[in-house]
Amino acid sequence: MATVQLKQVRKSYDGFEVIKGVDLTIRDQELTVFVGPSGCGKSTLLRLIAGLEEITSGDLLIDHQRANDVAPAKRGLAIVFQSYALYPHMNVADNMSFSLKLAGIPKPERDKKVMEAARILNLETFLDRKPKALSGGQRQRVAIGRAIVRDPKVFLFDEPLSNLDAALRVRMRLELTKLHRQLRATMIYVTHDQVEAMTMADRIVVLQAGIIEQVGSPMDLYRYPRNIFVAGFIGSPKMNFMEASIAQVLQGGSVVVALANGATLSVPAVDGMAGAGDKVTVGIRPEHISLASSDGISAQVQTVEHLGSESYLHLNIASGELLTVRINGETTVVPDQQVQLKMEPRSLHLFNKEGSTMRSLPTSTA
Amino acid sequence: MISSKLRQKWAVTLLAWSVALLLAFPVFWIVLTGFKTETEAISRVPHFFFHPTLENYQAVGERANYFHFAWNSIVVSLGSTFLALLLAIPCSYAMAFFPTKRTKDTLLWMLSTKMMPSVGVLVPIYLIFRDTGLLDTKTGLLAIDAMLNLPIIIWMLYTFFKEVPREVLEAARMDGAGPLRELYDLLLPLSMPGIASTSLLAIILAWNEAFWSLTLTAAKAAPLTAFIASFSSPEGLFYAKLSAASTMAIAPILLLGWASQKQLVRGLTFGAVK
Ligand SMILES: Nc1ncnc2c1ncn2[C@@H]1O[C@H](COP(=O)(O)OP(=O)(O)O)[C@@H](O)[C@H]1O
Ligand SMILES: [Mg+2]
């Protein structure tokens, strides 16, 4: 069992607030990903949990025990840094067994644990090497091994893959999720890359400027973003946004909105949240727009990006707004061509002036 | 393109050699003069070629016990360096890894104390030494040398420690290392080259320190700087003997510097190239 709870946790540096009251529960055996743009406070939050930074106010509970004042080593957590932070003067085996040695564990037992971690991570043949003589991926695995041998309550990862090249990153991503299943460990994983978040997480915590924007499973965040920020941050290519105003409020939780180019769309919305004339933002993901033969929103193709398996069209609609559309890779559409767009009402998102969603959210998304 | 680069390289080489020769010449001349007769030494026409003689060294050896002074120099320079490191290492560690708003200012202030002329504190320090019985003791001189070099040592160690990624220390902290373990198992081994060059510099500075050695020591604890000084004012001809004495005084430290050139250069140019 290992849970981590944050209650109104705040952190200031010299009076400048970086973490602005975070409430969060990390569940046992889940892989929770903190994601957000660079500088939003992900690392700070992780370091507060690790004990490397002091919490300014609020409570941190590890397994229901208040841990604010517990020394980092006593919290039973292990961290893997972006820079790996291996001990350069020690070989791989010593790097991994350093914590065990400090804990006074006898050598035979230390060796056993190191061998076991090395086996899991395919590092058996490198145990005598110094970090300098290892590749980036191997160093990364040593850093993970150093965490594994401690058998921590919670694994903390701070952007562990960002120093690796793209191919290796994808492979390590898979290995880490595999490791997570294998160890049945509780993990907190920090990244600025929403793809990593989507592919690895059991639950994602989206952060912006020291505030939690939304917490939920990857698909929940994808389907039911709570606000424009989450909608734009999760998903690639980014969700399209169009300025609009409410033309008519229908019975049964739907509204008709008028886009800037005059086209109208009917969009699901929570009853009573909208009044005619309200300024709103309509959002739709590139994969939810399709080309129609007629009778859609007309647009002009600006550029076509072929990725092979799929293509991205960048289009201008009459309002001057730019939309991205994802279509089949074999498309014959060419730049400057006029096309008609079809948007499924169910795939449309509606946000009010403050940027919050006007659609109802399932209760699982906070 | 290539020729201009080449020309630049030649110019730099030439300049470096000129400066080096200019700096080294007096030392070279002292060594040379030590092997001349007193008459040759004061001759208005410089003698580059002469019959070398050891008579000055004999004279110096008869007048003063070189090894007594040399031993004092060794004890004082090594001892002061050790003492200063003992104080400076924790200090620089704290400044490098747990900085506060005032850390930078403190560093600057410490360095600024080096700008104060030593005579400014001569009287108080002399009185303190007299009242505590530290006059003409190796301990006293060692302590004052340590204090004298402390700002430079702290500053240098601070720069070296800054080079150690803080995450490595944090990883150790997560692994269960307390501050002393962090220092001993990680910071010291990782910055050993820096500590070595800092120590070398401190030893050299203490070895060469003359002002306080001359004012605070007499016969018992006098180091080699005092040994040289004792040859500077006898009656009659003394240039050659003074040169011989100087050569004997600087030889150990020159050899040490020579042997550890690489370390020293690395230490002194640290941070300058980045
Ligand atoms: N030691 C520190 N002193 C002052 N400000 C800091 C410190 N560490 C981080 N910050 C600030 O806190 C904010 C969040 O930083 P960080 O948690 O590293 O962001 P992220 O990991 O999400 O990129 C940034 O604006 C950063 O400048
Ligand atoms: Mg970060």
Side-chain angles (χ1 to χ4, degrees), chain A residues 296-315:
Chain A
I297 297 170
S298 49
Q300 186 180 28
V301 178
Q302 274 209 333
T303 47
V304 184
E305 289 179 309
H306 291 286
L307 273 71
S309 60
E310 60 196 33
S311 300
Y312 300 145
L313 305 182
H314 299 280
L315 312 150

Side-chain angles (χ1 to χ4, degrees), chain A residues 137-266:
Chain A
Q138 289 162 347
R139 286 179 201 180
Q140 181 61 73
R141 291 212 293 273
V142 176
I144 295 169
R146 201 165 57 179
I148 289 180
V149 296
R150 288 184 49 201
D151 195 13
K153 287 183 188 158
V154 184
F155 285 82
L156 310 175
F157 295 92
D158 191 356
E159 311 225 11
L161 306 186
S162 15
N163 285 353
L164 304 176
D165 64 57
L168 196 53
R169 205 150 57 212
V170 173
R171 222 182 68 207
M172 284 303 290
R173 210 161 75 194
L174 292 170
E175 284 189 25
L176 275 175
T177 29
K178 200 176 99 197
L179 188 72
H180 173 237
R181 275 201 315 273
Q182 203 175 342
L183 299 174
R184 299 166 160 279
T186 310
M187 293 184 172
I188 305 177
Y189 185 102
V190 163
T191 179
H192 65 271
D193 180 356
Q194 62 92 20
V195 176
E196 267 176 35
M198 289 295 284
T199 51
M200 299 177 69
D202 292 316
R203 277 200 323 153
I204 298 179
V205 177
V206 182
L207 287 158
Q208 191 202 193
I211 289 174
I212 293 186
E213 293 286 0
Q214 193 169 359
V215 181
S217 74
M219 283 318 284
D220 276 348
L221 295 197
Y222 176 81
R223 290 197 194 108
Y224 312 109
R226 205 174 69 169
N227 54 37
I228 288 193
F229 177 79
V230 176
F233 194 79
I234 299 287
S236 169
K238 249 173 80 106
M239 185 186 281
N240 297 297
F241 295 109
M242 296 168 282
E243 296 308 317
S245 58
I246 306 274
Q248 196 186 345
V249 180
L250 303 175
Q251 287 297 311
S254 240
V255 294
V256 175
V257 298
L259 299 182
N261 65 355
T264 57
L265 294 165
S266 117

Side-chain angles (χ1 to χ4, degrees), chain B:
Chain B
M1 186 62 187
I2 287 170
S3 81
S4 90
K5 245 201 184 134
L6 208 66
R7 218 176 309 145
Q8 199 184 344
K9 204 174 144 191
W10 272 101
V12 170
T13 311
L14 199 69
L15 187 74
W17 273 99
S18 321
V19 172
L21 281 177
L22 209 65
L23 291 176
F25 183 77
V27 179
F28 169 73
W29 198 246
I30 286 173
V31 175
L32 220 56
T33 308
F35 292 101
K36 295 177 183 174
T37 61
E38 291 291 1
T39 346
E40 282 168 337
I42 56 159
S43 144
R44 282 190 182 278
V45 193
H47 288 253
F48 281 95
F49 303 100
F50 55 92
H51 287 290
T53 167
L54 286 176
E55 64 187 38
N56 300 311
Y57 286 89
Q58 273 162 3
V60 168
E62 278 160 25
R63 269 190 49 152
N65 182 0
Y66 169 77
F67 293 102
H68 168 73
F69 292 96
W71 175 245
N72 286 344
S73 272
I74 290 171
V75 171
V76 168
S77 51
L78 291 186
S80 71
T81 301
F82 182 76
L83 177 64
L85 281 179
L86 215 58
L87 295 169
I89 286 173
C91 176
S92 305
Y93 164 67
M95 285 184 161
F97 295 103
F98 306 95
T100 66
K101 268 181 284 186
R102 289 178 207 284
T103 300
K104 277 263 144 69
D105 294 342
T106 310
L107 273 169
L108 271 176
W109 166 78
M110 283 196 307
L111 212 58
S112 75
T113 60
K114 296 293 290 176
M115 321 253 167
M116 187 181 63
S118 302
V119 267
V121 286
L122 175 59
V123 173
I125 286 194
Y126 188 88
L127 293 180
I128 291 170
F129 267 54
R130 188 196 62 192
D131 296 345
T132 50
L134 285 173
L135 277 179
D136 200 18
T137 61
K138 289 199 270 292
T139 318
L141 189 57
L142 180 158
I144 204 99
D145 278 357
M147 297 308 141
L148 224 50
N149 292 335
L150 205 50
I152 292 175
I153 294 179
I154 290 178
W155 188 281
M156 279 181 76
L157 287 182
Y158 172 80
T159 1
F160 286 118
F161 288 175
K162 273 280 199 206
E163 291 296 306
V164 175
R166 70 180 289 143
E167 291 188 342
V168 171
L169 296 190
E170 285 172 348
R173 208 171 306 155
M174 294 294 291
D175 271 350
L180 280 179
R181 283 258 146 242
E182 255 177 64
L183 251 178
Y184 192 77
D185 284 347
L186 288 146
L187 194 56
L188 294 190
L190 289 180
S191 45
M192 205 26 101
I195 294 173
S197 49
T198 307
S199 312
L200 275 169
L201 187 75
I203 291 171
I204 292 172
L205 287 175
W207 190 280
N208 293 339
E209 200 290 314
F211 180 79
W212 293 106
S213 341
L214 292 179
T215 41
L216 297 178
T217 65
K220 217 156 44 81
L224 283 170
T225 37
F227 169 76
I228 304 179
S230 69
F231 283 91
S232 65
S233 58
E235 64 298 340
L237 293 173
F238 58 89
Y239 271 124
K241 287 188 205 63
L242 180 59
S243 299
S246 302
T247 306
M248 289 167 81
I250 60 176
I253 207 72
L254 269 184
L255 290 178
L256 180 73
W258 189 284
S260 54
Q261 259 186 71
K262 253 200 181 139
Q263 280 296 338
L264 264 178
V265 170
R266 193 184 118 76
L268 293 176
T269 55
F270 206 78
V273 284
K274 282 182 302 136

